[in-house]
Amino acid sequence: SLPTVKIADYAHAKYRGIMEGFYGHPYSMESRLNLLEYCKRYKMNYYGYGPKADPYHAGNWRLNYPETVTDAQRNLGQLTSSDMATIAAKAKECNVDFVWIIHPSLGSYSINLSWVPEIMTKFEHLYELGVRHFGVSVDDMNGHPSNQGQLAAEVQAKIDAKWNTDATPKADRVGPVLFTPTVYALNYGSSYVLQSFKKIDSKIDVAFTGYDCFSNVRASSFATMANYIGRD
C-alpha cells in the first residue's frame, strides 16, 4: 500500500536573494551570471543591483549605459547596455526578479523632487533593455531630508502610470519601487523620517538592515520598523 501525502513547499520570506549594493570593486559579469544560476538552484527570487562603483548607478546616474567600454573601464567593472540586457535576460531565465537601483543623491544635502522626470528617463532606457523592476536609494546622504517618502511616492506613481495600466501585459509590468531611506537601520535615529512612509503607497518596499548596517535582524527590529513605516 502507498500512503497519501501532501508536501507543502514554500518560503517564509517574500524576497530571497542578493543585494549588490556595496562600495569597492563590483562583481564581474561572470560572477553575476553565476550568482543568478545559484539563486535559481536555491529558490531565491531577488537580485538588487546598485554597486556604488557603477557610475551609471550613482555619480553619472542621468547618463545611459554606453554601447562600448574600454578595456580599462571593463577592468573597473563598468558595463555596457548589452551587458545590462544580458543580466536582465539571465535573471528572467532563472526566475529571479532583477531590480536596478538608482542613487541620485550620493553626496547631496537635500532631495530635489525635480529629479523624478530624470529618474524616469533613466528607467525608460533600462526598461528597453529588459529591466522590469526598479529601486531608488538615498542612503549615505549628508543628513536626513524629510521628503524622502515623497520622492518614493512620486516615482511609484510615474511608474504605475507608464507601465502598470490595465492595458499593460503582465510580463511588461514593473514591480513595486524598492526604496532605501537614509534611516535604513534603527540605530541611525531620525525615526520621524521613517514615520513619513505611513502616508505613501503601501506597496512601496522600504529597505531595512536591522539595528545597524550589518546586524542580525531580530523580531524586535522587524516590529519596530513596521510600526514606523506602516508596512511589513
Side-chain angles (χ1 to χ4, degrees), residues 52 57 101-106 135-139 178-181:
K52 299 293 194 295
H57 152 77
I101 304 165
I102 200 165
H103 200 319
S105 61
L106 194 63
V136 179
S137 179
V138 297
D139 61 304
L178 172 67
F179 192 82
T180 307

Side-chain angles (χ1 to χ4, degrees), residues 20-26 50-53 58 103 106-107 139-141 184:
E20 184 184 355
F22 49 84
Y23 289 90
H25 202 284
K52 299 293 194 295
H103 200 319
L106 194 63
D139 61 304
D140 297 349
M141 287 187 65
Y184 60 86

Side-chain angles (χ1 to χ4, degrees), residues 141-183:
M141 287 187 65
N142 297 304
H144 301 289
S146 60
N147 62 341
Q148 299 178 36
Q150 189 178 357
L151 176 65
E154 292 197 12
V155 172
Q156 183 67 69
K158 294 291 186 184
I159 285 174
D160 287 343
K162 187 170 185 65
W163 292 309
N164 291 337
T165 67
D166 291 340
T168 308
K170 185 176 180 180
D172 291 328
R173 295 182 184 180
V174 170
V177 168
L178 172 67
F179 192 82
T180 307
T182 59
V183 190

Side-chain angles (χ1 to χ4, degrees), residues 48-226:
Y49 176 89
K52 299 293 194 295
D54 182 341
Y56 302 99
H57 152 77
N60 292 329
W61 60 269
R62 292 177 176 86
L63 301 180
N64 290 340
Y65 282 96
E67 295 298 318
T68 60
V69 295
T70 66
D71 290 342
Q73 290 171 327
R74 174 69 70 185
N75 289 335
L76 291 173
Q78 292 191 29
L79 301 179
T80 65
S81 56
S82 61
D83 290 330
M84 192 55 60
T86 297
I87 296 171
K90 182 66 174 179
K92 183 177 180 181
E93 174 192 322
C94 294
N95 296 315
V96 175
D97 196 359
F98 178 66
V99 187
W100 192 92
I101 304 165
I102 200 165
H103 200 319
S105 61
L106 194 63
S108 299
Y109 288 88
S110 61
I111 289 174
N112 190 336
L113 296 177
S114 67
W115 294 339
V116 174
E118 297 175 300
I119 290 172
M120 286 300 297
T121 297
K122 182 61 169 284
F123 287 173
E124 288 166 10
H125 163 65
L126 289 151
Y127 188 91
E128 291 297 318
L129 299 177
V131 180
R132 294 294 183 269
H133 203 154
F134 300 104
V136 179
S137 179
V138 297
D139 61 304
D140 297 349
M141 287 187 65
N142 297 304
H144 301 289
S146 60
N147 62 341
Q148 299 178 36
Q150 189 178 357
L151 176 65
E154 292 197 12
V155 172
Q156 183 67 69
K158 294 291 186 184
I159 285 174
D160 287 343
K162 187 170 185 65
W163 292 309
N164 291 337
T165 67
D166 291 340
T168 308
K170 185 176 180 180
D172 291 328
R173 295 182 184 180
V174 170
V177 168
L178 172 67
F179 192 82
T180 307
T182 59
V183 190
Y184 60 86
L186 294 175
N187 286 343
Y188 293 175
S190 303
S191 61
Y192 71 92
V193 172
L194 296 176
Q195 291 171 5
S196 70
F197 286 89
K198 289 181 178 179
K199 303 175 183 178
I200 67 172
D201 194 329
S202 61
K203 71 183 176 186
I204 295 170
D205 291 316
V206 181
F208 174 57
T209 62
Y211 286 103
D212 294 293
C213 183
F214 300 98
S215 64
N216 294 320
V217 185
R218 301 190 292 277
S220 59
S221 65
F222 278 127
T224 300
M225 185 67 169

